Amino acid sequence: MVNYRKRLLAGTVAVAMAGALAACGGSGSNPGGSSTQSATAGGTLQYYIYAPFEHTDPQRSYLGVEMTNFSRTVYRSLVAFPISTDPKVSNTPVPDLATDTGTSSEGGKVWKFTLKDGVKWEDGKPVTCEDFKYGASRVFATDVITGGPNYLLSYLDIPTDAKTGLPAYDGPYKGDGQALFDKAITCDGNTITYNFKKPWPDFPLAVAGLHMMDPYRQDKDQGAKSNYQIFSNGPYMIKGGGAMWNKNKGALFVRNPNYDPKTDSTDIRKALPDEINFTVGQTPETIYDRLIADNGDDQYAVTSSRVPPAYYTQIQGAVADRSVLVKSPYVDYLVPNFRNMPDPKVREALKVATNATAWINAGGGEKAYGPAESIVNPAVVGYQPNPAFSGPQEGDPAAAKKLLEEAGVKMPYPITFTYPTSDTADKQAAALKETWDSAGFDVTLDGLGDTYYDVIQKPTKDSDVIWGGWGADWPSAITVTPPLFDSRPNLTADSDGQDYGAYKSDKFNALVDQAQSATNLDDQTKALQEADKVLGEDTAYIPLEVANFYWLHGSKVTGYMNTPSSSSYVDLGPIGVEN
């Protein structure tokens, strides 16, 4: 399920992440998640992807693997995270399209950036302040630009509609409230100013980690039809120019002739390969058969698919020298659908019956996962074990059955479990089903292959229990529980946003408001910890595990690194291939 994990771990944390995101004793000769070979320019890098991406539109992209790949190749931001395995370096934004990392005033409510001169789109036209402003405006079109981060809806200084609870601006396609948006984000030559309704002191971290603030050319915008369009201002572009990413095949990235490396930094992207060939659709098993054999083009290959558990014993000797094992920033979890499962006793029964240990063992055991007692990763500032999920992780079918009986529901109680399918995930789902069925549920497994998040975000979905995977956007739990469970920016007539289970709680939302208004990190953390307790009491989620990432690459790949800024996926910033 690795390709389906949402969010880039943009800022992780400074010191706390040093141990968490460095290699945790890789099985090969690459401690620290980096290659011992120096990278060289030229050649073609092969990049193998199993599950299709659901978006390549910058304002809709929200999978960690998408965002880190595109940040190093085709999309540039005001600021970016540099290449480094040292979290203190990797998590500190540096200028990218801006001349510096921004200037704040009014206690972090106002941010200004000045754009560099000479930056161009792939067709040679300049990247302008208005392009940045237009890109931000697209985030507000929640009926068209779906699936992406929605922080701007909560922060930008735009009044809220009293009836809907949403901003009184609905994006550039309808134009309602355009004057309000034009006041909130302004352009003065090459200077762009963002006005927020509440302090956003870590705004540069959000800019560096997410593509929601990226520039977008209005004349290239086709709304929802732009979902797979990639219009580049980075060192690469899709071959042919102005082309679409093919959801089921991928794309060949070639050099962008209008990219000027003088406007960029090799600390962010070295752009060494002449081409990067993204190939979608091979199963993880096929990918690893090829990587282990290490013949032909596969010698120049990397992948976003983890080593399948059945292949662990094959990662030995010279093959192990090309492997890396790192802790990931992601927690995998389940969410009950509150529309279908409104009874708290039924949700609690589901939690009590959940055998997280069986899930972990079916997925590869300790090499693949560690235990989780919260949806917040242990390496994130603000983490504390949630008391609702402490104790044994094996599940208790007898106790769960008693809760179902107390709920007075007809048994067996039918539920549909929706998750992204793969050979390993199917085994894990079956392991959950066994204990759930023993507890009095009647489980139907609903594995989705070709698409996932665009299904589970639909308010009309049939799912009763839904799998999710999440990593923090910057070093705070405020980028975990609020974006996942604050119903106000998430739940609309067209989408559940990241709140896949349609959870809605005034008590939780009030604690989110308290956290977002806090003037110091301690008060913010306390409010978020109380908010997580509310989620546990309501069984708004059930944590499964913290994922480990086990990777293998071809023998002629150089400069291989897994970094905090790349969410522990392969970092395409420093990478190269032997010529």
Side-chain angles (χ1 to χ4, degrees):
M1 296 186 186
V2 64
N3 283 342
Y4 285 104
R5 290 188 174 84
K6 280 259 183 167
R7 297 202 164 211
L8 172 70
L9 188 77
T12 52
V13 296
V15 178
M17 288 302 287
L21 287 189
C24 57
S27 57
S29 61
N30 299 328
S34 61
S35 170
T36 56
Q37 297 171 287
S38 60
T40 55
T44 299
L45 175 72
Q46 305 291 334
Y47 197 121
Y48 299 149
I49 300 167
Y50 166 48
F53 293 166
E54 295 181 17
H55 315 288
T56 63
D57 181 322
Q59 272 74 41
R60 297 182 70 178
S61 294
Y62 215 2
L63 294 186
V65 64
E66 296 172 359
M67 296 165 66
T68 183
N69 288 342
F70 297 151
S71 292
R72 300 304 198 201
T73 54
V74 291
Y75 295 147
R76 298 179 63 186
S77 303
L78 290 167
V79 295
F81 290 114
I83 302 162
S84 177
T85 55
D86 181 349
K88 290 182 287 185
V89 175
S90 186
N91 298 329
T92 303
V94 296
D96 189 2
L97 289 178
T99 57
D100 57 28
T101 55
T103 302
S104 67
S105 59
E106 297 186 27
K109 287 186 176 181
V110 178
W111 280 91
K112 290 187 178 183
F113 298 84
T114 299
L115 307 185
K116 293 176 180 177
D117 294 323
V119 180
K120 298 178 181 179
W121 294 100
E122 64 180 55
D123 64 356
K125 292 185 178 180
V127 176
T128 68
C129 179
E130 292 294 337
D131 295 335
F132 277 93
K133 182 174 178 178
Y134 185 78
S137 76
R138 302 175 80 239
V139 177
F140 288 81
T142 56
D143 57 336
V144 179
I145 307 301
T146 59
N150 54 28
Y151 289 102
L152 276 183
L153 276 64
S154 299
Y155 277 93
L156 201 62
D157 192 11
I158 294 176
T160 300
D161 185 281
K163 293 182 179 179
T164 65
L166 295 172
Y169 173 62
D170 59 6
Y173 309 114
K174 296 178 182 177
D176 294 338
Q178 187 66 47
L180 298 172
F181 178 81
D182 290 339
K183 184 178 179 181
I185 299 180
T186 62
C187 285
D188 181 10
N190 274 358
T191 299
I192 188 166
T193 302
Y194 300 91
N195 298 281
F196 302 120
K197 64 180 67 174
K198 49 193 171 185
W200 201 346
D202 45 9
F203 179 57
L205 291 171
V207 174
L210 304 169
H211 289 304
M212 66 179 175
M213 307 305 299
D214 282 8
Y216 203 98
R217 273 257 297 275
Q218 185 173 2
D219 64 317
K220 295 295 180 181
D221 191 6
Q222 303 177 65
K225 294 181 180 179
S226 295
N227 191 32
Y228 286 106
Q229 177 176 270
I230 291 180
F231 192 66
S232 175
N233 52 42
Y236 297 95
M237 56 186 267
I238 293 180
K239 186 177 181 180
M244 291 279 188
W245 175 278
N246 187 308
K247 175 182 178 180
N248 296 310
K249 295 182 179 179
L252 177 63
F253 283 12
V254 298
R255 295 200 180 276
N256 175 5
N258 285 299
Y259 165 76
D260 184 355
K262 293 179 182 178
T263 68
D264 207 342
S265 168
T266 55
D267 290 336
I268 301 173
R269 47 185 78 83
K270 297 181 185 295
L272 294 175
D274 289 332
E275 298 179 337
I276 304 177
N277 187 22
F278 291 91
T279 304
V280 176
Q282 302 176 74
T283 67
E285 291 73 21
T286 299
I287 290 170
Y288 276 91
D289 283 339
R290 296 178 63 170
L291 288 176
I292 290 170
D294 196 43
N295 295 319
D297 285 347
D298 301 328
Q299 297 174 87
Y300 305 89
V302 296
T303 182
S304 57
S305 291
R306 290 187 292 173
V307 178
Y311 284 67
Y312 287 175
T313 57
Q314 298 185 49
I315 311 301
Q316 298 180 1
V319 176
D321 293 341
R322 300 185 277 115
S323 70
V324 177
L325 177 64
V326 294
K327 289 186 180 296
S328 92
Y330 295 99
V331 173
D332 293 338
Y333 62 98
L334 306 172
V335 287
N337 186 342
F338 274 64
R339 293 189 183 94
N340 298 350
M341 202 179 290
D343 191 321
K345 280 192 178 294
V346 175
R347 298 194 302 272
E348 186 179 1
L350 181 76
K351 176 193 74 175
V352 170
T354 297
N355 190 341
T357 299
W359 168 278
I360 288 173
N361 290 339
E366 294 180 355
K367 185 164 282 188
Y369 303 109
E373 293 187 355
S374 171
I375 201 168
V376 181
N377 190 290
V380 173
V381 170
Y383 168 80
Q384 70 173 9
N386 190 316
F389 309 112
S390 61
Q393 304 291 306
E394 291 78 16
D396 188 338
K401 182 174 286 188
K402 185 177 180 180
L403 287 166
L404 283 179
E405 291 169 348
E406 292 175 0
V409 297
K410 184 178 179 180
M411 296 169 63
Y413 187 93
I415 58 173
T416 297
F417 174 38
T418 300
Y419 64 97
T421 186
S422 71
D423 289 347
T424 300
D426 290 343
K427 294 175 183 177
Q428 293 177 286
L432 291 182
K433 173 180 167 61
E434 181 177 353
T435 312
W436 285 343
D437 284 346
S438 298
F441 292 97
D442 181 12
V443 182
T444 298
L445 299 181
D446 178 33
L448 303 181
D450 186 52
T451 188
Y452 189 67
Y453 281 103
D454 60 347
V455 173
I456 67 170
Q457 289 176 329
K458 292 178 180 177
T460 56
K461 58 183 172 289
D462 295 327
S463 311
D464 301 295
V465 187
I466 304 153
W467 176 91
W470 199 261
D473 284 326
W474 61 85
S476 171
I478 206 164
T479 68
V480 182
T481 48
L484 285 175
F485 299 105
D486 187 338
S487 58
R488 294 165 293 183
N490 274 306
L491 302 185
T492 70
D494 302 294
S495 176
D496 287 340
Q498 321 308 326
D499 185 4
Y500 318 122
Y503 174 75
K504 186 176 182 180
S505 166
D506 291 340
K507 184 178 180 180
F508 173 81
N509 290 349
L511 287 165
V512 170
D513 291 340
Q514 184 178 329
Q516 291 179 338
S517 301
T519 57
N520 62 75
L521 185 59
D522 287 342
D523 288 344
Q524 182 188 87
T525 297
K526 290 177 183 177
L528 291 170
Q529 290 173 339
E530 290 302 312
D532 192 23
K533 289 181 183 178
V534 171
L535 296 175
E537 293 165 359
D538 291 342
T539 316
Y541 72 87
I542 303 168
L544 289 171
E545 29 71 9
V546 178
N548 295 327
F549 281 175
Y550 195 12
W551 307 117
L552 185 66
H553 60 79
S555 62
K556 294 188 177 180
V557 173
T558 60
Y560 183 94
M561 296 172 67
N562 304 96
T563 64
S565 57
S566 67
S567 286
S568 296
Y569 291 93
V570 55
D571 194 325
L572 296 185
I575 207 164
V577 294
E578 292 182 19
N579 295 308

